[in-house]
Amino acid sequence: MAAPGLAIRGQRSLLRQIREALAGGGPAQARLDMVVRIIARSMVAEVCSIYLRRAAGDLELFATEGLDPGAVHVTRLKPGEGLVGEIVRLGRPLSLSDAPSHPAFSYRPETQEDPFHSFLGVPLLRGGRTIGVLVVQNRTERVYEDDEVEDLQIVAMVLAEMVAAGELLGGEALKGVEIAPQKPERVKGAKFAEGLAIGVAVLHEPPMGPSQLLTDDVVAEEARLEASIASLRLQIDEMLDGRHGLVESSFEVLESYRMLAHSSGWNRSLAEAVRDGLTAEAAVERVRSEHRARLGQARDQYLRERLHDLEDLNDRLLRHLSGDGQTARELPVGAILIARNLGPADLLEYDRSKLKGLLLEEGSATSHASIVARALDIPCVGRLPNLRDKVSEGDRVIVDGETGEAFLRPRADVVKALQSRMDVRAQRRAEFEKLRDTPAFTRDGAKITLLMNAGLAVDLDTLAETGAEGIGLFRTEFQFMVAEELPRFSAQTQLYARVLDAAGDRTVTFRTLDLGGDKVLPYLEADREENPALGWRAVRMGLDRPALLRLQLRALIAASRGRPLRIMFPLVASVDEFRSARALVDQEVAWAARRGRPPPSRLDVGAMIEAPSLVWHLDALLPMTDFVSVGTNDLTQYLFAADRGNPRVSDRYDTLSPPLLRALQAIQQGCADTGTQVSVCGEMAGRPLEAFALVALGFDRLSMPPQGVGPVKQMVLSCDREAARRGVAALLRSNAGSVRNEIETLARKLYVAI
Ligand code: PEP
Ligand code: MG
């Protein structure tokens, strides 16, 4: 018997043989039989079988070379049954030198598989779902080489796409094979952004279709690959030269990218994959899966970091292959975007007029993608595990941001119920609109200033619509996140001037760049950090690299053109930081004056209170600020030591809890004692119940996402502040972890609209 070996590579690759066999047409079963025969011969295996998943989840033997042909369409394995079921369960290959001794082995007499000992099975994966299993077997007890496992995986990748695209089995033969789920499904997740939407599913990272996997023109494909690698190398060299600015800190990372991009191993693997008939993109995916398989299990920190570098390098190469700077996909109208997780910049790249909703497998309500979703008024539900396996592109889906659920392929009655809830929401919005010009006074006469959080030029339209009295937090980093490269002085000045123009007499508080943490810029290389939320971010970055911060301050002063200007620094953790930051503002004002430019008619410089350290140094901080604003998103994160972007811990601690409320009370008290203007601008300010607690604590400036303004105003108008103050003061002494229920009961008792 010939020694089993590898035959995928070479003159006439296995993939090309399969393609040629299929091009011949003929009945579906005959074509499938031919495919298993080719694979068996090419892999020097005595058996090759394909199992496909039926709608009920059973795996059915669809074709075999080497087992008893009578078993085809007879042998069926329940989910999790046998080695094939085990592969589906694991979602990865299983290689055994003696299959019958494996505990999951299930003997099926009709297959006549007694003589075969070694077994290699790989899943047919499509969009993260296992739609079948491809198996090869040999008589001898042998160990399959890594290369053979990888080769079979490539074949499986191509077969899966062919099955899904109907290229392998005709419509009739495919009947009952579950390529994609068809049944309606309701999935419970978490609310990230309010609202309701129905639309068509669009995958943020769609699986590659078969036509995108294989190429007939190997020479052209090789040229495309080479050109892209060359432009990738050039880009890395340019970054190393510092031409893209701000790269000093990341030489080490870039050096390692450069080494990898020039490494003969990486280049050879890619070139070989293309010579085997894969497209350049599929070659990248294949090399990526090889790296993952080899390095993914590594315990060694260094090796795991190299995997991270390689992943990044592969992503970069894919961007180069798709033409420079790969922009977001064109969306159909009414798109519901589906992703594992999204960075805020990814989300901002999509056409907002077509994007109706967002569903995420991970994420958290205070992550910046969620904040951007709220800013764009796009309902978002997150923490929907394995969602991408449950839904296909084009499926109809509902995002229910009120209950935190997703409905996949909903039945007509569910759609109808949704439609009537959408009508109710529209009516409520109309009610809020009627309140637009009503000033927000509590029933006992306290004026509450309601402001809006913004960050994009498009937000400016909303300012008038909501009736907000100004912008309490303008997140300037959003402009940087949507840009392809560092926005220049003129672009920054223009945006700030537009914001001030649109605001007219209303106040605007510009927050200086709050980058780092989860707000990363593709063009701004920075060292990877173990703990980005606790790392080099926000004002820390600004003070250490003052050029960027000074440019921004200069742009803000230029944009003010003699109008009032309010500047606020994010994540100040010590009074010294505030002192230094403020000194930069003074320098820039002096710089403008020396050039005869009009200074702002009034300049207010403030700090965000987000680091708990400041709560115990208010007596020092407040006299040197013109105002402060409490960022409860970060304050909560740092107070409870719970990463706001990590779903496991982000909702573990309640904002309506004695520790946070007491910290807020201390801030409010300190500000009242020193006459310092204070606002709250975290997400909690936009939720009526939380806003009720803030008003009770004495806060009278709240800045929130635009959709919060109407409901919070309704709350304020119905609230007796003095009664609220007494009730909440008593609850602050509670020994409970959370007093949410108690505050809600209090609000209801006082007939407050929450
Ligand atoms: C906050 O931390 O509460 C805040 C308003 O800032 P951001 O959410 O942008 O970090
Ligand atoms: Mg913050």
Side-chain angles (χ1 to χ4, degrees):
M1 190 189 61
L6 182 69
I8 186 169
R9 303 199 167 101
Q11 292 283 304
R12 205 158 159 262
S13 81
L14 171 56
L15 293 176
R16 236 170 300 150
Q17 288 181 54
I18 294 177
R19 286 200 91 188
E20 281 162 18
L22 294 176
Q29 187 65 49
R31 298 195 308 158
L32 210 49
D33 292 344
M34 188 138 53
V35 169
V36 284
R37 209 171 309 133
I38 294 170
I39 298 172
R41 195 174 54 220
S42 182
M43 302 285 293
V44 198
E46 280 114 7
V47 174
C48 174
S49 314
I50 292 179
Y51 296 81
L52 293 176
R53 190 150 130 171
R54 289 272 177 200
D58 290 2
L59 282 147
E60 178 175 312
L61 180 65
F62 259 71
T64 185
E65 167 74 8
L67 297 183
D68 192 320
V72 171
H73 299 302
V74 173
T75 297
R76 284 190 181 184
L77 297 155
K78 295 248 161 291
E81 189 185 348
L83 296 175
V84 168
E86 183 72 359
I87 292 165
V88 175
R89 193 180 66 78
L90 297 171
R92 58 179 159 78
L94 189 61
S95 171
L96 302 167
S97 57
D98 184 34
S101 62
H102 190 281
F105 180 79
S106 153
Y107 178 67
R108 289 307 182 85
E110 73 274 12
T111 60
Q112 303 275 322
E113 64 178 320
D114 312 57
F116 307 108
H117 285 272
S118 49
F119 172 102
L120 169 61
V122 299
L124 296 180
L125 289 165
R126 175 130 209 294
R129 271 170 55 80
T130 305
I131 62 167
V133 174
L134 176 63
V135 175
V136 291
Q137 290 172 272
N138 284 87
R139 281 172 200 274
T140 48
E141 286 193 22
R142 62 169 301 247
V143 177
Y144 294 95
E145 306 278 333
D146 284 352
D147 279 353
E148 291 172 294
V149 179
E150 282 157 20
D151 286 344
L152 203 62
Q153 279 180 285
I154 295 175
V155 175
M157 161 167 116
V158 175
L159 286 182
E161 293 305 332
M162 286 178 165
V163 170
E167 287 184 17
L168 203 52
L169 299 166
E172 206 38 48
L174 205 58
K175 244 186 180 167
V177 174
E178 202 196 41
I179 290 166
Q182 308 288 334
K183 293 198 202 102
E185 203 170 334
R186 175 183 187 158
V187 206
K188 182 85 191 115
K191 295 183 253 186
F192 286 180
E194 274 278 316
L196 302 168
I198 179 160
V200 283
V202 173
L203 296 177
H204 175 55
E205 283 167 339
M208 279 192 239
S211 57
Q212 293 163 285
L213 291 172
L214 298 177
T215 178
D216 288 326
D217 191 347
V218 172
V219 176
E221 207 58 25
E222 277 183 302
R224 210 162 71 82
L225 176 70
E226 273 169 29
S228 297
I229 292 180
S231 73
L232 169 70
R233 287 179 181 166
L234 194 70
Q235 185 198 31
I236 296 174
D237 288 347
E238 278 181 10
M239 284 162 123
L240 269 166
D241 286 351
R243 269 181 244 168
H244 287 275
L246 293 153
V247 295
E248 285 164 59
S249 60
S250 48
F251 273 112
E252 229 178 89
V253 176
L254 286 172
E255 273 298 355
S256 113
Y257 283 4
R258 170 142 74 182
M259 264 170 52
L260 290 170
H262 286 264
S263 79
S264 52
W266 189 62
N267 284 275
R268 198 173 44 237
S269 308
L270 288 168
E272 270 173 12
V274 166
R275 277 197 292 276
D276 286 340
L278 294 188
T279 58
E281 285 85 354
V284 174
E285 289 305 339
R286 171 179 153 192
V287 171
R288 187 202 292 272
S289 61
E290 282 174 18
H291 289 144
R292 280 187 190 152
R294 288 208 191 117
L295 298 176
Q297 314 291 335
R299 294 245 172 100
D300 183 279
Q301 172 76 12
Y302 176 81
L303 284 180
R304 274 189 284 135
E305 277 179 18
R306 291 291 74 73
L307 177 62
H308 190 293
D309 291 349
L310 277 163
E311 291 272 354
D312 203 39
L313 200 66
N314 288 325
D315 285 342
R316 279 172 195 273
L317 183 55
L318 284 177
R319 281 202 288 275
H320 282 268
L321 281 165
S322 69
D324 221 354
Q326 190 185 33
T327 45
R329 301 172 59 199
E330 226 357 83
L331 292 179
V333 177
I336 307 284
L337 192 64
I338 293 172
R340 183 174 62 80
N341 209 346
L342 270 189
D346 295 328
L347 182 53
L348 286 167
E349 274 184 16
Y350 284 100
D351 179 348
R352 138 187 193 148
S353 67
K354 293 182 179 156
L355 186 59
K356 288 285 167 282
L358 181 61
L359 295 173
L360 301 175
E361 291 186 352
E362 299 175 359
S364 85
T366 46
S367 71
H368 284 96
S370 305
I371 288 176
V372 171
R374 282 194 288 275
L376 300 179
D377 202 9
I378 292 171
C380 172
V381 172
R383 281 199 240 134
L384 301 158
N386 304 324
L387 179 69
R388 288 169 307 162
D389 298 353
K390 297 176 182 156
V391 65
S392 313
E393 285 254 344
D395 278 357
R396 197 175 206 206
V397 284
I398 289 175
V399 183
D400 189 336
E402 288 181 349
T403 61
E405 284 172 308
F407 295 83
L408 315 175
R409 303 166 293 277
R411 290 194 317 263
D413 54 339
V414 175
V415 174
K416 212 166 147 215
L418 176 90
Q419 235 108 37
S420 61
R421 282 171 58 209
M422 284 171 112
D423 292 345
V424 172
R425 268 187 85 84
Q427 269 170 23
R428 281 195 70 204
R429 280 206 172 197
E431 275 169 37
F432 296 143
E433 244 167 59
K434 277 194 226 136
L435 293 178
R436 194 176 51 198
D437 300 320
T438 311
F441 281 96
T442 60
R443 283 187 16 231
D444 51 345
K447 169 75 175 39
I448 310 295
T449 304
L450 302 183
L451 305 155
M452 185 186 110
N453 295 344
L456 297 165
V458 284
D459 290 325
L460 301 176
D461 304 336
T462 336
L463 184 57
E465 284 165 25
T466 57
E469 290 182 56
I471 297 177
L473 166 65
F474 190 88
R475 292 182 164 103
T476 57
E477 62 278 4
F478 281 10
Q479 181 190 21
F480 284 64
M481 291 182 333
V482 290
E484 298 273 306
E485 55 181 23
L486 208 65
R488 291 173 195 279
F489 172 76
S490 56
Q492 293 184 45
T493 312
Q494 264 170 30
L495 174 65
Y496 306 149
R498 269 182 70 191
V499 175
L500 289 170
D501 291 347
D505 292 338
R506 289 171 287 217
T507 61
V508 180
T509 302
F510 290 101
R511 176 175 75 184
T512 61
L513 285 176
D514 185 2
L515 293 169
D518 68 340
K519 291 185 248 186
V520 283
L521 301 181
Y523 51 84
L524 192 78
E525 292 294 330
D527 283 336
R528 272 195 306 281
E529 297 179 305
E530 284 277 313
N531 276 312
L534 299 180
W536 197 57
R537 51 168 293 206
V539 79
R540 302 169 181 183
M541 226 185 220
L543 292 175
D544 292 353
R545 301 267 179 273
L548 187 61
L549 180 54
R550 287 188 63 171
L551 188 74
Q552 182 178 33
L553 295 172
R554 199 168 286 184
L556 284 166
I557 292 164
S560 79
R561 281 193 312 243
R563 290 178 278 190
L565 180 63
R566 289 167 65 90
I567 299 174
M568 162 164 93
F569 293 104
L571 197 66
V572 176
S574 87
V575 286
D576 293 335
E577 284 172 347
F578 184 74
R579 230 180 251 121
S580 308
R582 188 162 193 147
L584 291 179
V585 180
D586 294 339
Q587 278 177 36
E588 284 310 313
V589 170
W591 187 91
R594 281 201 301 278
R595 271 154 194 78
R597 301 196 181 150
S601 60
R602 174 188 168 134
L603 178 64
D604 290 289
V605 184
M608 285 196 76
I609 301 191
E610 302 184 284
S613 52
L614 289 185
V615 181
W616 285 276
H617 216 187
L618 291 167
D619 53 337
L621 175 79
L622 297 180
M624 54 173 102
T625 60
D626 298 316
F627 66 94
V628 291
S629 189
V630 191
T632 48
N633 304 335
D634 276 320
L635 185 60
T636 311
Q637 148 165 282
Y638 298 124
L639 202 60
F640 289 104
D643 184 348
R644 63 193 265 187
N646 178 344
R648 283 209 173 142
V649 295
S650 56
D651 285 349
R652 202 180 179 100
Y653 308 99
D654 196 355
T655 45
L656 294 183
S657 63
L660 185 73
L661 294 174
R662 286 188 202 178
L664 289 168
Q665 187 192 36
I667 296 167
Q668 199 284 327
Q669 196 58 55
C671 291
D673 292 348
T674 49
T676 311
Q677 188 190 71
V678 57
S679 63
V680 177
C681 65
E683 300 305 298
M684 74 180 284
R687 292 190 287 263
L689 182 64
E690 275 92 334
F692 166 72
L694 293 171
V695 168
L697 287 174
F699 289 99
D700 51 19
R701 286 176 79 83
L702 304 178
S703 190
M704 63 199 80
Q707 314 84 276
V709 176
V712 170
K713 190 183 278 185
Q714 214 172 41
M715 181 283 291
V716 169
L717 294 172
S718 61
C719 172
D720 180 332
R721 187 186 214 175
E722 187 44 34
R725 189 193 63 73
R726 282 194 305 269
V728 169
L731 292 172
L732 287 190
R733 292 190 289 274
S734 164
N735 61 5
S738 162
V739 286
R740 175 170 297 270
N741 291 341
E742 291 80 352
I743 292 183
E744 192 176 333
T745 308
L746 173 69
R748 295 206 187 283
K749 209 173 88 194
L750 298 176
Y751 300 103
V752 180
I754 44 163

